[in-house]
Amino acid sequence: MNLSDPDLFRQAALIDGAWIARPDMEVTNPATGRAIGTMPDCTDEETETAIAAADRAMVGWRARTHSDRADILMRWYQLMLDHAGDLAQILTAEQGKPLAEAKGEVIYGASFVRWFAEEARRINGKIIPSPLPGKKIFAMKEPVGVCAIITPWNFPIAMIARKVAPGLAAGCTMVVKPSDFTPYSALAMGVLAERAGIPAGVLNILTGRPEAIGGALTASPVVRKLSFTGSTRIGALLAQQCAPTLKKMSLELGGNAPFIVFDDADLDAAVEGAMVSKFRNGGQTCVCANRILVQAGIHDAFVAALAKRVDALTVGPGTEAVAIGPMINAAAIAKIRDHVADAEAKGAARATAARDLPDAYADPVVLTGATLDMRLATEETFGPVAPIFRFETEAEALEIANGTPFGLAAYFFTRDMARAFRVAEALEFGMVGLNTGAISHAEAPFGGVKSSGLGREGAQEGIEEYLETKAFHFGGL
Ligand code: SIN
């Protein structure tokens, strides 16, 4: 890395305003497999210390005016933009995504900080007419309290921004546990948060393995909320661990997004949408199209056009001008290859040319003839694999699309406006894209139904997740 501000690269946890450096664990660059640095493996005692610090810091932080917190968040936003180049380099080094995409993630992440800086000033309560004379009822909004934030490796900056910014805007304090694959982006965000004026103890960042930290966070009665992005299996486990202390929870979990192309779709727009939705972050996105359903009349033209675009994708180290970087680790690559092998063994055919890529990379591939008995029909591949399922009727497409326990994102392409509303209403998903493959914006509610989780991030809904409503009954008037 060639950082213009090397101080952003911290190999230390942030607890109560102190940076704790201890070379317990290495972090590797997925492109080279070589270590880029170390980090402390924080213990449960250190987690307790961070929780206690966040609890003490609540008193001062919630007492600040909303506009004061908004100003601090706005400074954090501006610092992210000012340091976007360095943040992108750190992100690419630990996560692998191409530099241009990493910079896009920094800007995407910063958009949440800005959005919630603006929302901080609009945390309004209500006055409710009382059923009795001489009384008024106020619904007052208050911060939930100390929050535990557990973030994934696929969007290490954007997911912290999307969870921490609304919490801070609401007046909560935070204990953040970034993925042990990608701690440095989070720690750089911590440096910028300090520079923006976020006081000691308000934002704590713990590095290391998840078991001890997660166990202490979920068990603590002081922690009043947990927000997690990751797999459904771990989300369910965290929910179990949080049950005895009944924490408020936001869970953004796995998906199995259908992407439906009807015969009447604009072919070019559908192919472009598929590229955006499927190959963003090399397919390592929970809203990525996982099952591409194409109606018989447009099937061959769509496959030919998509395969041409996929064959043109460049793959290599994220520091070069490529479209797809390395996958996060060997386990991810093994799963992707297993899905493709399983599909081919069950009759799928490649519509794209085979490549001979080094071990760190996955072959971007379009597979035709996908069927429901294949692993990629029921599991998230989390890689650059585009399986095409052919269908005949709208009813059949909807049955396949909804035939999953997951309900995060769905996409469809049609020019028939009656069908647009019919299908949007019939899809059992938290987010639906019509004639677009891009659905991630700070302004839009993000989240799923069924096994894809609880709650919404971003948008006006995002700040509600960090607020409680207190009913204040005011008598004697
Ligand atoms: C995710 O994959 O977890 C988030 C993707 C997004 O924000 O678009």
Side-chain angles (χ1 to χ4, degrees):
M1 284 184 280
N2 182 19
L3 303 180
S4 42
D5 185 347
D7 193 37
L8 291 179
F9 182 61
R10 292 282 172 104
Q11 303 177 62
L14 174 61
I15 303 177
D16 200 9
W19 290 90
I20 317 289
R22 219 174 38 236
D24 296 333
M25 292 171 72
E26 284 188 340
V27 178
T28 53
N29 179 331
T32 62
R34 286 197 292 274
I36 48 176
T38 63
M39 64 177 165
D41 186 15
C42 290
T43 61
D44 42 5
E45 287 86 19
E46 285 170 317
T47 309
E48 290 297 345
T49 306
I51 295 169
D55 194 30
R56 282 192 305 275
M58 261 305 289
V59 180
W61 185 246
R62 69 177 289 171
R64 301 255 188 146
T65 62
H66 292 62
S67 51
D68 196 7
R69 291 200 294 266
D71 289 347
I72 293 174
L73 286 172
M74 223 26 138
R75 285 203 290 276
W76 197 24
Y77 158 73
Q78 192 55 54
L79 284 164
M80 285 179 74
L81 294 188
D82 294 347
H83 294 85
D86 280 353
L87 290 174
Q89 278 197 61
I90 294 171
L91 184 43
T92 295
E94 64 181 2
Q95 202 275 344
K97 67 179 65 177
L99 266 176
E101 209 173 334
K103 199 151 178 201
E105 180 182 335
V106 176
I107 291 163
Y108 175 50
S111 75
F112 289 103
V113 179
R114 179 183 184 183
W115 172 265
F116 287 112
E118 290 161 350
E119 285 300 285
R121 306 157 80 98
R122 289 189 272 278
I123 302 177
N124 303 322
K126 276 195 288 209
I127 303 175
I128 302 162
S130 168
L132 300 176
K135 287 185 79 178
K136 283 196 191 303
I137 305 166
F138 295 81
M140 305 197 309
K141 295 288 180 183
E142 298 188 345
V144 169
V146 175
C147 301
I149 305 292
I150 305 181
T151 55
W153 52 263
N154 61 344
F155 287 88
I157 287 188
M159 294 307 99
I160 287 191
R162 189 154 81 190
K163 294 172 190 297
V164 169
L168 294 181
C172 299
T173 55
M174 304 279 144
V175 181
V176 178
K177 157 75 181 82
S179 162
D180 38 336
F181 300 133
T182 56
Y184 299 130
S185 308
L187 296 166
M189 293 273 284
V191 175
L192 296 179
E194 279 185 332
R195 292 185 194 169
I198 294 175
V202 169
L203 175 62
N204 303 275
I205 305 175
L206 301 174
T207 58
R209 286 171 299 169
E211 292 78 12
I213 302 170
L217 288 172
T218 51
S220 170
V222 176
V223 174
R224 293 313 318 139
K225 177 186 170 77
L226 182 137
S227 177
F228 168 73
T229 293
S231 71
T232 297
R233 188 179 68 80
I234 300 294
L237 182 71
L238 290 169
Q240 264 174 9
Q241 292 175 348
C242 287
T245 49
L246 284 176
K247 298 187 202 319
K248 192 167 169 132
M249 296 196 85
S250 302
L251 299 174
E252 203 254 278
L253 308 177
N256 182 0
F259 183 103
I260 310 171
V261 183
F262 288 102
D263 279 347
D264 65 355
D266 174 331
L267 177 65
D268 293 342
V271 171
E272 180 58 29
M275 294 302 294
V276 169
S277 160
K278 177 70 252 182
F279 295 98
R280 176 173 170 233
N281 200 18
Q284 303 173 107
T285 302
C286 53
V287 291
C288 270
N290 201 54
R291 299 167 292 154
I292 303 184
L293 280 51
V294 186
Q295 202 162 13
I298 198 170
H299 178 275
D300 293 355
F302 179 85
V303 169
L306 184 68
K308 196 166 163 209
R309 290 283 301 272
V310 174
D311 274 333
L313 288 173
T314 48
V315 181
T319 44
E320 294 173 12
V322 293
I324 300 183
M327 298 292 104
I328 189 69
N329 57 26
I333 297 195
K335 182 178 185 194
I336 294 163
R337 292 186 180 157
D338 282 356
H339 275 200
V340 173
D342 171 74
E344 287 183 322
K346 290 173 179 155
R350 277 178 192 250
T352 38
R355 307 181 192 214
D356 190 15
L357 295 171
D359 276 353
Y361 301 90
D363 207 356
V365 56
V366 176
L367 292 173
T368 56
T371 49
L372 299 180
D373 57 337
M374 296 174 181
R375 281 184 63 194
L376 45 65
T378 51
E379 296 171 29
E380 253 183 320
T381 305
F382 236 61
V385 179
I388 312 287
F389 298 74
R390 189 187 188 111
F391 71 90
E392 301 288 338
T393 65
E394 183 181 308
E396 186 191 351
L398 283 171
E399 194 182 331
I400 297 172
N402 287 335
T404 167
F406 299 101
L408 191 59
Y411 309 82
F412 68 106
F413 281 70
T414 181
R415 284 185 280 204
D416 174 339
M417 285 305 118
R419 169 181 277 155
F421 277 93
R422 203 166 55 234
V423 172
E425 283 171 11
L427 285 168
E428 295 161 4
F429 294 82
M431 295 171 280
V432 176
L434 165 65
N435 297 332
T436 178
I439 55 167
S440 303
H441 311 289
E443 294 78 359
F446 190 105
V449 298
K450 295 160 67 181
S451 292
S452 292
L454 305 170
R456 292 293 178 269
E457 298 189 321
Q460 288 169 339
E461 285 82 350
I463 204 159
E464 284 295 328
E465 303 276 329
Y466 294 87
L467 293 166
E468 295 286 10
T469 303
K470 180 182 277 176
F472 176 35
H473 295 258
F474 198 116
L477 297 176

